[in-house]
Amino acid sequence: MERELIYMDNSATTAVYPEVLEEMLPYFNEEYGNASTLYRLGVNAKKALNKAREQVATLINADPSEITFTSGGTESDNFAIKGIALKEYKNRTEENPRNHIITSSIEHPAVLETCRFLEKYGYEVTYLPVDETGIISLEDLENAIKDSTILISIMHSNNEIGTIQPTKEIGRIAHEHGILFHSDAVQSVGKIPVDVVDQNIDILSLSGHKINGPKGIGAIYIKKGVQIETFIHGGGQEDGVRSGTENIPGIVGLGKAAQIAYENLDEHAKHDQEIRDALIEGVTSQIKDSYVNGSIEHRLPNNVHFRFSGIEGESLILKLDDEKIDGATGSACSTHDLKGSHVLAALGIKPALSHGSLRLSIGQENNIEDVDYIVKSIKKVVDYLREISPLWDNKNDEYIGDRFEKPLDDEDLDRY
Ligand SMILES: *Cc1c(COP(=O)(O)O)cnc(C)c1O
């Protein structure tokens, strides 16, 4: 019998849960109303919209009025950062340009590229470094704050290496200085407790397709009282915060996915973590020169990120695909970019080594019974790739890439 695909790229995207799809389906045809209209169809759409808003709010301990639906995590990140930058544009004075943003060097491109964009328009951005496990220093954060700082945007957890930031302390520091705190929590929601009140978060981004909801839908949480400029203008939907006829099927799907995530948070995390820890144990004990990138302690339960010296990630992914295992390599979001991952570079990992990395991100359909097969397959593929690699000495069974390696140059480090 042919083996079924083992999908372990749930940080890239997830399958829509059957219950989520079922909930969405009527809103494509029977209940196709526009939520802004007054007859029954429209009222039904409005009711569905409100229910989903409550489900999303509950997941992050917000009030439903603080949730606005967007087209996904990317739009929410853009909204948060550009929205605050534009709002503060009006508050500039001769003495205080109110144009400084603090973020980290390992953010998702949706944050980094938005910051880069704003730099072209006179905003100043500090990209905080991280330690070798991917965590920012609170002291660095304090030191980076200036009178002109308007926003601190630090991700809740990292999409590549799964490192969880000390969000609560970051928020506390932001608030001590009267600065707003935005967190990209796309990878955290549904995986670990995300509580906007307890964790001092003013603005938060989340996305549907990372939590077994549909693609092209997300939400932004904006704390009551936070002034932000809208950047999608039109018919005034979503309380005027984000115009455009609401994507009701998508919103209903996101709501249902949020409800499932909320009700099963502990159980899902336990399931994922068991598989994660078995993979770490199996791989690091059976494969020579294999390492785990990121933090072991402050890590998402569903993320494991390995590094194997002497091999190249793209070949690893393709060979694993032959074994019916889908994972990701160091450059998950930029397969067009031959440079190593900006996240691994920020951890101080040299490009040649970061290329030999493998992210496995776990979902509910993965089974602990498959771990043995997965570890064996990875070992088989790594052994094969090392055998044909010029960076591996087969006679002595060791990595010799250091002989060819040039140190990280400024260009590598300055990418973000
Ligand atoms: C996937 C992801 C995004 C982008 O979300 P989309 O809904 O795909 O636009 C943003 N930030 C992080 C951390 C992500 O993992």
Side-chain angles (χ1 to χ4, degrees), residues 219-270:
I220 183 169
Y221 153 81
I222 303 167
K223 187 163 83 186
K224 205 167 285 167
V226 167
Q227 300 292 311
I228 186 165
E229 197 69 86
T230 177
F231 82 125
I232 298 196
H233 302 95
Q237 289 88 348
E238 293 292 271
D239 252 350
V241 178
R242 200 271 189 184
S243 286
T245 300
E246 300 88 345
N247 171 2
I248 301 291
I251 289 169
V252 166
L254 171 58
K256 186 67 185 175
Q259 187 205 338
I260 295 173
Y262 179 71
E263 287 171 355
N264 300 283
L265 190 70
D266 292 344
E267 197 193 317
H268 285 179
K270 190 164 160 279

Side-chain angles (χ1 to χ4, degrees), residues 285-355:
S285 67
Q286 292 181 39
I287 304 178
K288 192 175 176 178
D289 266 12
S290 60
Y291 308 92
V292 177
N293 293 319
S295 169
I296 294 289
E297 193 187 343
H298 304 285
R299 183 180 208 100
L300 289 174
N302 70 327
N303 172 295
V304 57
H305 199 289
F306 294 112
R307 183 169 89 246
F308 307 101
S309 53
I311 65 168
E312 207 270 315
E314 269 77 24
S315 323
L316 181 59
I317 296 304
L318 293 177
K319 283 275 166 201
L320 279 178
D321 194 28
D322 292 343
E323 305 294 320
K324 296 270 186 182
I325 299 167
D326 278 359
T329 186
S331 42
C333 279
S334 49
T335 37
H336 56 275
D337 185 351
L338 278 181
K339 287 202 151 242
S341 138
H342 70 283
V343 175
L344 299 183
L347 304 189
I349 299 170
K350 295 172 188 169
L353 288 174
S354 78
H355 275 306

Side-chain angles (χ1 to χ4, degrees), residues 11-12 71-75 77 108 110 155 157-159 184-187 206-210 216-218 333:
S11 296
S71 68
T74 300
E75 182 186 324
D77 286 342
H108 188 275
M155 68 201 321
S157 61
N158 183 266
N159 47 300
D184 175 343
V186 169
Q187 292 290 342
L206 62 90
S207 170
H209 75 103
K210 305 285 174 76
I217 189 75
C333 279

Side-chain angles (χ1 to χ4, degrees), residues 9 11 55 63 67 162 245 251 274 305 322 381:
D9 204 8
S11 296
Q55 289 166 319
D63 187 85
I67 302 296
T245 300
I251 289 169
E274 218 172 294
H305 199 289
D322 292 343
V381 171

